[in-house]
């Protein structure tokens, strides 16, 4: 017998699972499908990965009930140092004079830069270990499971769209009819491909190295973003443990060949390379987590919607991690899409109607494209070696330092408060 739901979400990663909890809490009937067991990626060992979450993302996670399930809490980011370390060796005298005149090679964002009309802010964002977020998502889904949230995992589905919705045929033999299907399967989204939505990719010929370190001294909630000759290097504060009271996450981008070389270094050599790039106030550091290596690229779907289908998160857009906004854009999608769908249902409207979906696209895609362009420009400007680009970087940093309204708006946008 075919069962009916309002919404079917394909994919139970951070974006899909959080959206399912938000919609189920609002009273919509939701089916969420995930090809792997929900606890497949949860284990007792240190994962080596972490997420930088904006305040806006934290609020979405709190609304969904996920935030309260975090087993170890989250670390607020209280201060951010951005340093242009891409010095040109032996610059020509005229270039050196210009750089000396400009002066600014670093920016520091502290408590004085936080929005003053937002009560209770603890910092610019939050750091959460990937394993902790996965546990919280698993527990939140199980908590909401019931009449309003049906979980099919591990399972897969075949989707057939018609005028009134979609028929979802699960590999487990169950069948559902949904008014709307949401693709949350990530960058390789099968539903996006099935709908024939064109995709544009931007290649950077870079790889990112991700791991966790322990260090001698407390980080005091500070984060570092240093732009170096072989690529940007970020240290992001994490909550400590009994075994490692002072910990941080490392995100380190480099040209592909260089990144593969660094990733494969012996432990002692890898440790020395990290220490050479760290801010000295945290003291000597030792990697303690697994090393991960990811190809870096950006991509965007030419549209976010099709007939009875909406794309969300990485299925719709993927960014270079230079500003840490990729996952946060997905949570912003959740906020807007959930509001659009709940509002339509409260008015007795069909949530899968074309005008409802086009409203979601209109409210998300322009800002997402602007952020994608910003991250792309930042990557190209900060990775360039030409002396003229070093001057441009310094001019831009000096202007950002003095342009208070621009700086305030940028901070609010990256914090997810716009």
């Amino acid at each position: 017998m075919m069962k009916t739901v309002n919404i079917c979400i394909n994919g139970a990663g951070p974006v899909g699972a959080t959206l399912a909890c938000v919609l189920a809490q609002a009273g919509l009937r939701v089916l969420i499908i995930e090809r792997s067991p929900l606890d497949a990626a949860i284990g007792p060992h240190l994962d080596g990965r972490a997420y930088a979450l904006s305040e806006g993302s934290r609020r979405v996670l709190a609304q969904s009930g996920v935030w309260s399930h975090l087993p170890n809490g989250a670390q607020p980011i209280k201060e951010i140092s951005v340093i242009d370390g891409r010095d040109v060796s032996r610059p020509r005298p005229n270039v050196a004079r210009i750089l000396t005149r400009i002066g600014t090679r670093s920016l520091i964002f502290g408590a004085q830069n936080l929005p003053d009309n937002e009560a209770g802010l603890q910092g610019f964002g939050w750091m959460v270990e990937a394993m902790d977020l996965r546990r919280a998502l698993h527990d939140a889904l199980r908590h909401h499971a019931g009449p309003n949230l049906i979980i099919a995992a591990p399972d897969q589905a075949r989707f057939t769209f018609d005028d009134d919705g979609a028929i979802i045929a699960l590999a487990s033999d169950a069948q559902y009819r949904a008014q709307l299907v949401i693709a949350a399967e990530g960058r390789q989204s099968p539903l996006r491909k099935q709908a024939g939505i064109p995709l544009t990719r931007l290649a950077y010929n870079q790889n990112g190295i991700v791991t966790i370190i322990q260090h001698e001294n407390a980080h005091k909630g500070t984060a570092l973003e240093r732009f170096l000759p072989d690529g940007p290097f970020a240290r992001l504060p994490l909550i400590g443990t009994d075994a490692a009271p002072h910990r941080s996450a490392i995100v380190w981008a480099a040209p592909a060949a260089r990144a593969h070389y660094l990733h494969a270094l012996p432990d002692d050599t890898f440790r020395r390379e990290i220490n050479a790039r760290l801010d000295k106030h945290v003291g000597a550091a030792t990697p303690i987590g697994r090393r991960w290596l990811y190809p870096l690229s950006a991509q965007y779907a030419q549209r976010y919607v099709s007939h009875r289908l909406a794309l969300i998160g990485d299925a719709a857009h993927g960014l270079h991690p230079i500003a840490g906004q990729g996952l946060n854009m997905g949570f912003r999608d959740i906020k807007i899409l959930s509001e659009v769908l709940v509002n339509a249902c409260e008015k007795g409207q069909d949530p899968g109607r074309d005008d409802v979906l086009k409203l979601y696209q209109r409210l998300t895609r322009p800002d997402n494209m602007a952020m994608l362009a910003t991250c792309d420009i930042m990557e190209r400007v900060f990775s360039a070696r030409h002396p003229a680009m070093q001057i441009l970087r310094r001019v831009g940093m000096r202007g950002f330092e003095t342009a208070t309204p621009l700086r305030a708006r940028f901070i609010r946008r990256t914090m997810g408060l716009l």
Side-chain angles (χ1 to χ4, degrees):
M1 182 178 177
M2 189 177 297
K3 302 174 184 178
T4 61
V5 294
N6 299 115
I7 310 293
C8 173
I9 301 173
N10 198 38
V15 173
T18 303
L19 177 62
C21 293
V22 171
L23 295 178
Q25 279 193 142
L28 278 67
R29 282 178 50 80
V30 180
L31 167 67
I32 185 167
I33 305 167
E34 172 57 43
R35 64 168 54 217
S36 303
L38 290 184
D39 58 357
I42 299 174
H45 304 296
L46 183 64
D47 180 88
R49 293 176 292 183
Y51 293 111
L53 301 174
S54 69
E55 172 64 16
S57 296
R58 185 200 67 80
R59 295 178 186 185
V60 171
L61 287 165
Q63 177 192 0
S64 68
V66 173
W67 195 258
S68 62
H69 285 284
L70 285 172
N72 298 303
Q75 169 65 49
I77 301 172
K78 299 179 179 180
E79 182 176 291
I80 304 172
S81 295
V82 180
I83 301 171
D84 177 18
R86 293 189 67 97
D87 286 325
V88 175
S89 1
R90 293 186 224 150
R92 293 190 296 273
N94 59 330
V95 174
R97 284 195 298 271
I98 294 171
L99 293 175
T100 301
R101 192 175 302 123
I102 297 170
T104 302
R105 64 177 295 166
S106 65
L107 294 170
I108 297 178
F109 301 96
Q112 72 278 7
N113 301 117
L114 289 170
D116 55 12
N117 57 346
E118 295 283 343
L121 286 180
Q122 296 186 44
F124 294 95
W126 302 82
M127 288 301 300
V128 176
E129 280 192 63
M131 190 73 73
D132 283 354
L133 183 58
R134 285 197 290 270
R135 288 193 181 102
L137 291 164
H138 172 273
D139 291 347
L141 284 172
R142 294 300 185 195
H143 175 77
H144 289 296
N148 283 350
L149 180 56
I150 302 161
I151 302 170
D155 217 329
Q156 298 183 59
R158 185 176 68 255
F159 297 86
T160 304
F161 293 87
D162 56 31
D163 289 345
D164 299 320
I167 296 173
I168 300 104
L170 296 176
S172 58
D173 290 335
Q175 282 199 336
Y176 290 85
R177 170 169 280 282
Q179 295 170 294
L180 172 66
V181 175
I182 296 173
E185 324 101 326
R187 290 195 176 204
Q188 303 303 318
S189 171
L191 279 169
R192 185 188 64 226
K193 295 174 183 176
Q194 180 179 334
I197 297 175
L199 185 72
T200 299
R201 290 188 174 91
L202 306 174
Y204 295 111
N205 192 33
Q206 292 180 336
N207 284 77
I209 302 169
V210 175
T211 193
I212 289 176
I213 61 171
Q214 62 179 355
H215 36 82
E216 290 179 311
N217 306 324
H219 51 57
K220 300 180 181 179
T222 63
L224 168 73
E225 178 89 17
R226 175 170 281 163
F227 296 96
L228 296 168
D230 60 358
F233 176 93
R235 181 195 59 77
L236 302 160
L238 290 175
I239 284 181
T241 65
D242 291 340
H246 309 311
R247 303 188 310 153
S248 293
I250 295 298
V251 181
W252 182 4
R258 174 71 172 162
H260 279 271
Y261 165 78
L262 293 167
H263 180 260
L265 286 174
D267 290 346
D268 283 350
T269 311
F270 187 68
R271 175 181 54 80
R272 287 196 297 271
E273 291 286 351
I274 286 179
N275 278 281
R277 292 160 172 79
L278 274 180
D279 35 345
K280 301 306 179 186
H281 77 270
V282 299
T286 302
I288 57 174
R290 173 182 170 183
R291 300 180 205 173
W292 297 85
L293 186 69
Y294 295 101
L296 301 183
S297 64
Q299 65 180 46
Y300 58 92
Q302 294 294 334
R303 60 181 190 275
Y304 288 3
V305 300
S306 186
H307 178 68
R308 297 286 174 177
L309 175 69
L311 310 183
I312 192 169
D314 283 355
H317 45 69
L319 276 64
H320 189 286
I322 193 167
Q325 289 299 304
L327 181 58
N328 291 307
M329 275 176 52
F331 283 116
R332 184 175 177 274
D333 293 345
I334 291 173
K335 180 178 185 298
I336 295 173
L337 180 58
S338 61
E339 289 174 354
V340 168
L341 296 180
V342 171
N343 184 57
C345 289
E346 287 177 346
K347 293 178 178 178
Q349 298 174 351
D350 180 343
R353 279 178 16 181
D354 286 350
D355 59 334
V356 174
L357 300 184
K358 287 178 180 177
L359 175 60
Y360 159 64
Q361 177 171 270
R362 189 163 65 248
L363 293 175
T364 53
R365 196 167 186 273
D367 280 351
N368 287 352
M369 290 299 295
M371 180 57 74
L372 186 148
T374 298
C375 292
D376 183 66
I377 291 169
M378 287 176 63
E379 191 284 326
R380 297 181 191 281
V381 169
F382 278 98
S383 65
R385 294 176 177 272
H386 195 279
M389 295 306 291
Q390 186 176 16
I391 294 172
L392 178 61
R393 289 196 297 270
R394 296 287 181 87
V395 169
M397 293 176 74
R398 180 62 180 270
F400 192 80
E401 185 179 47
T402 57
T404 304
L406 173 63
R407 185 176 66 241
R409 180 172 178 80
F410 178 81
I411 289 171
R412 288 186 64 85
R413 178 66 179 89
T414 56
M415 290 179 68
L417 300 177
L418 283 182

